């Protein structure tokens, strides 16, 4: 019997990258997955590929910074599949700049997409999970939210906020058998990091004890651990970083 048979999982920002790998691994464990992304084309393409593999998936385009769009997405999931067992808040962006040069737009875009989005998505989802008396919330934070990083004051603040959000949801919903945990990825090979260019990437990799970038599948493995049934782990932050704790 698959670990997540008949469970329904929403993964935000799952059109590509880490979110796609998370949705794929949840689907391989038997979950019905909701592929939701601001990019409708990516959403449809990923869903098509998952369905061709024989999994159960549906595409719902959604902008996690827009309350109405989020509400429609959650209502669409409940209308089709009747329940929500796993929510992975994964959608995220970077708008890097040194603090003194950072514009208010760069600050706000990252806070809205990486932090306020979790509030907007988790609120309607937790209503559904509370009625079920079961659920798993998994938030994709970052090692930057734990340790800080040059040029990422907006991103560090958003991801640190997401960790505080995770710990508080864990406390408030434990009595309803709902867990909330965070995965904090280190340096993972996706479009987000490829944008940094070869030179910066190889400098980073030199510092990583395991001497390689992480893969989206490395992050998916940690998410799968938190998504499993019967877990006694809540309010936890798991760093998946190849041993680089700075
Ligand atoms: N790549 C890394 O090294 C790394 C490290 C730490 C944390 N993370 C986090 O992992 C998550 C995924 O990152 P990734 O590397 O796969 O990035 P990515 O850019 O490859 O994918 C992010 C996805 O989110 C979607 N998205 C962006 N804004 C959205 C919005 N408003 N509404 C809905 N979807 C939206 C994008 O369309 C894209 O498909 C992010 O939260 C990121 O902060 C990544």
């Amino acid at each position: 019997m698959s670990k997540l048979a008949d469970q329904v999982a929403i993964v935000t920002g799952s059109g590509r990258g880490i979110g796609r790998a998370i949705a794929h691994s949840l689907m391989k464990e038997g979950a019905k997955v909701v592929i939701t992304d601001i990019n409708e084309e990516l959403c449809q393409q990923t869903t098509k590929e998952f369905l061709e593999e024989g999994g159960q998936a549906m595409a719902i385009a959604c902008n996690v910074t827009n309350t109405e769009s989020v509400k429609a997405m959650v209502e669409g999931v409940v209308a089709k599949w009747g329940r929500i067992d796993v929510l992975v808040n994964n959608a995220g962006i970077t708008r890097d700049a040194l603090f003194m040069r950072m514009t208010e737009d760069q600050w706000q875009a990252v806070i809205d997409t990486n932090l306020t989005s979790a509030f907007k998505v988790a609120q309607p989802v937790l209503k559904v999970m509370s009625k079920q008396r079961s659920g798993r919330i998994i938030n994709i934070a970052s090692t930057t939210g734990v340790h800080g990083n040059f040029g990422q004051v907006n991103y560090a603040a958003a991801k640190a906020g997401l960790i505080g959000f995770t710990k508080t949801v864990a406390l408030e919903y434990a009595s309803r058998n709902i867990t909330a945990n965070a995965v904090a990825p280190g340096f993972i090979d996706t479009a987000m990091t490829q944008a940094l260019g070869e030179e910066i990437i190889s400098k980073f990799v030199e510092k990583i004890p395991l001497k390689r970038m992480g893969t989206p599948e490395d992050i998916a493995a940690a998410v799968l651990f938190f998504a499993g049934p019967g877990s006694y782990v809540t309010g936890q932050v798991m760093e998946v970083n190849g041993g680089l704790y700075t």
Side-chain angles (χ1 to χ4, degrees), residues 73-97:
M73 184 271 289
V74 174
E75 282 170 7
V77 176
V78 174
K80 175 143 183 196
W81 282 334
R83 57 185 296 116
I84 303 169
D85 300 284
V86 179
L87 166 64
V88 185
N89 283 310
N90 164 82
I93 58 167
T94 51
R95 295 287 182 270
D96 297 351

Side-chain angles (χ1 to χ4, degrees), residues 92-241:
I93 58 167
T94 51
R95 295 287 182 270
D96 297 351
L98 288 172
F99 180 51
M100 277 302 155
R101 292 195 196 138
M102 187 168 286
T103 66
E104 207 170 316
D105 284 351
Q106 288 173 316
W107 170 269
Q108 203 56 52
V110 168
I111 297 294
D112 289 348
T113 309
N114 298 19
L115 176 59
T116 310
S117 60
F119 170 83
K120 287 184 196 281
V121 183
Q123 216 170 42
V125 167
L126 277 166
K127 279 189 192 146
V128 178
M129 289 180 171
S130 292
K131 280 194 202 133
Q132 292 166 190
R133 300 229 148 227
S134 67
R136 301 273 179 260
I137 307 275
I138 300 143
N139 296 316
I140 306 304
S142 167
T143 48
T144 294
V146 183
H147 307 287
N149 194 21
F150 276 91
Q152 291 200 305
V153 72
N154 49 359
Y155 189 76
K159 295 298 192 181
L162 193 57
I163 289 170
F165 172 92
T166 305
K167 290 180 187 241
T168 303
V169 168
L171 291 176
E172 290 193 13
Y173 285 87
S175 64
R176 291 163 181 99
N177 189 33
I178 296 165
T179 62
N181 293 285
V183 175
F187 199 47
I188 311 302
D189 191 4
T190 68
M192 187 182 266
T193 43
Q194 284 304 333
L196 295 171
E198 273 308 312
E199 204 179 318
I200 294 182
I201 290 176
S202 51
K203 273 192 189 149
F204 262 114
V205 171
E206 267 172 40
K207 291 198 244 164
I208 301 171
L210 284 178
K211 295 290 172 219
R212 66 168 176 89
M213 291 178 92
T215 64
E217 289 70 27
D218 290 326
I219 305 308
V223 171
L224 209 54
F225 169 75
F226 288 130
S231 176
Y232 192 54
V233 182
T234 193
Q236 187 62 253
V237 183
M238 191 196 286
E239 286 193 53
V240 181
N241 58 13

